[in-house]
Amino acid sequence: MATDPDPYRVALVSFPGIRAFDVSVITEVWGTDRTDRGVPAFDLRRVAADATPVPMRGGLSLTPDRPLAWLARADLILIPGLDDHLTPAPQPVLDALRRAHGRGTTIAALCGGAFTLAQAGLLDGRRAVTHWNLVDLLRAEHPCVTVEPDALFIEDGNIWTAAGTAAGIDLCLHLIRTAHGAEVAATIARSMVTAPFRTGTQAQFIEHPTPRTDRDADALASVREYALHHLHEPLAVADLAARAGMSARSFARHFAAATGATPLRWVLDQRVAAAQKLLEHTDLSMPEVARRTGFGSEITMRQHFAARLATSPRAYRASFAAHASRRPGTEPPAPAHA
């Protein structure tokens, strides 16, 4: 990796039973050198109770390179999902996770990794998600956990949990976006050829397509593409529905079935993402950022930043000043994805 005086330190917690897919996702996001594309350097370490290679399904193994004590240095701790979701984590691992949480370190679990956090008692009294097919099992095994049945990922008390498989990618990109900005997350997503922005509140799965929804798919995609290029304009649901050739009620139903979000929530999420990019990479005034991204006023933009990012636009810009290469703003940001 490129040299960095203080790289972001990420710990991948390893023990027998972890899923190879989640290990691969974590390694792809934080273990690939993309500094030539403006991504900061990361220091990803495979942390375990001892140096014994960790067996995984499919004849794979993972060789730890740091002891559990390294968690005290980590900025972020990641727990892969499990092949057998009732696999007990080694007691030293559970103890180390408790100590890390006590220090305030951010901890994130992918898919069935929520069971490991629950074993450590870190989810007691907290909200958590896991794969939709494991909701009842997590509730039965850990009744002190408030299991949310339908979200991609959520946070409670600096502990993140995610639903199955692809939602783990969504959470990893969200953690990148939170720590390093929307443009860094988008760069990594482009490298992985995956969507750069799915909110945690989206449904875990959408309705199975029917012949009618298959026919509607192109119209809905065209509307989303239009909206992404016209975020600075009013985008009423009725107008978007007319563009799709549907009634407002039918449009809203089909849109939610296709995207997992209502049209209004989807548009607002895209506006927040566009504003993040402008705040990171331009010196545009707050009113101008709000105008270009369709919020209309700085007050409205501030309200939506507080609701979705728990920060203000000004604080967001200050947080990412070190990452952004400032330049005068000229064009609205390129759309994230349709």
Side-chain angles (χ1 to χ4, degrees):
M1 283 194 175
T3 58
D4 188 314
D6 189 22
Y8 191 75
R9 295 179 292 271
V10 181
L12 193 169
V13 176
S14 311
F15 57 89
I18 57 175
R19 294 180 69 220
F21 179 86
D22 295 338
V23 169
S24 298
V25 168
I26 293 167
T27 303
E28 179 65 27
V29 173
W30 281 279
T32 301
D33 185 0
R34 300 182 178 92
T35 52
D36 60 332
R37 282 163 276 177
V39 175
F42 303 127
D43 185 10
L44 174 65
R45 298 296 174 178
R46 302 175 297 277
V47 176
D50 58 53
T52 305
V54 175
M56 297 184 294
R57 183 174 291 177
L60 303 174
S61 65
L62 184 71
T63 303
D65 62 359
R66 290 294 186 275
L68 289 171
W70 197 81
L71 295 183
R73 302 184 57 199
D75 300 299
L76 172 66
I77 297 172
L78 296 162
I79 304 171
L82 307 167
D83 286 321
D84 178 350
H85 306 292
L86 298 182
T87 298
Q91 192 60 45
V93 169
L94 300 179
D95 292 339
L97 290 175
R98 295 185 191 106
R99 290 192 295 271
H101 181 254
R103 291 190 295 268
T105 306
T106 299
I107 302 176
L110 281 59
C111 193
F115 285 82
T116 301
L117 289 178
Q119 289 175 32
L122 296 181
L123 295 183
D124 288 356
R126 300 186 191 279
R127 298 166 58 243
V129 297
T130 189
H131 189 285
W132 60 267
N133 199 37
L134 300 173
V135 167
D136 290 341
L137 181 61
L138 184 57
R139 285 172 174 165
E141 292 291 323
H142 301 282
C144 293
V145 181
T146 301
V147 185
E148 298 291 342
D150 194 24
L152 292 181
F153 56 82
I154 60 174
E155 180 268 344
D156 193 335
N158 210 29
I159 294 179
W160 292 86
T161 50
T165 313
I169 300 174
D170 294 319
L171 174 57
C172 289
L173 291 174
H174 180 78
L175 292 170
I176 289 286
R177 187 181 302 108
T178 300
H180 305 286
E183 188 57 38
V184 170
T187 298
I188 295 175
R190 284 194 296 271
S191 176
M192 295 174 64
V193 196
T194 190
F197 187 70
R198 287 206 302 170
T199 61
T201 54
Q202 284 188 214
Q204 288 193 27
F205 61 92
I206 61 177
E207 298 174 8
H208 292 294
T210 64
R212 175 55 194 257
T213 56
D214 285 343
R215 291 195 299 272
D216 292 338
D218 288 345
L220 293 172
S222 176
V223 167
R224 293 198 300 274
E225 184 72 18
Y226 172 84
L228 287 169
H229 286 90
H230 294 81
L231 289 174
H232 57 290
E233 300 176 4
L235 294 171
V237 173
D239 295 334
L240 295 177
R243 183 169 288 274
M246 303 179 189
S247 69
R249 185 173 180 177
S250 178
F251 173 77
R253 184 174 68 254
H254 288 296
F255 192 97
T259 67
T262 66
L264 177 60
R265 175 175 286 278
W266 185 88
V267 168
L268 288 173
D269 287 340
Q270 302 309 318
R271 283 177 167 155
V272 169
Q276 286 178 281
K277 287 189 177 182
L278 287 179
L279 292 169
E280 290 175 31
H281 294 287
T282 78
D283 289 316
L284 292 169
S285 68
M286 292 296 164
E288 181 62 13
V289 172
R291 185 192 69 79
R292 291 191 180 205
T293 53
F295 287 113
S297 72
E298 181 181 351
I299 293 175
T300 300
M301 181 171 68
R302 186 165 61 242
Q303 290 171 340
H304 287 291
F305 263 64
R308 283 163 169 73
L309 305 177
T311 189
S312 70
R314 292 181 185 276
Y316 184 89
R317 171 172 274 172
S319 296
F320 291 101
H323 301 297
S325 175
R326 294 279 186 247
R327 57 179 173 77
T330 55
E331 298 297 327
H337 70 291

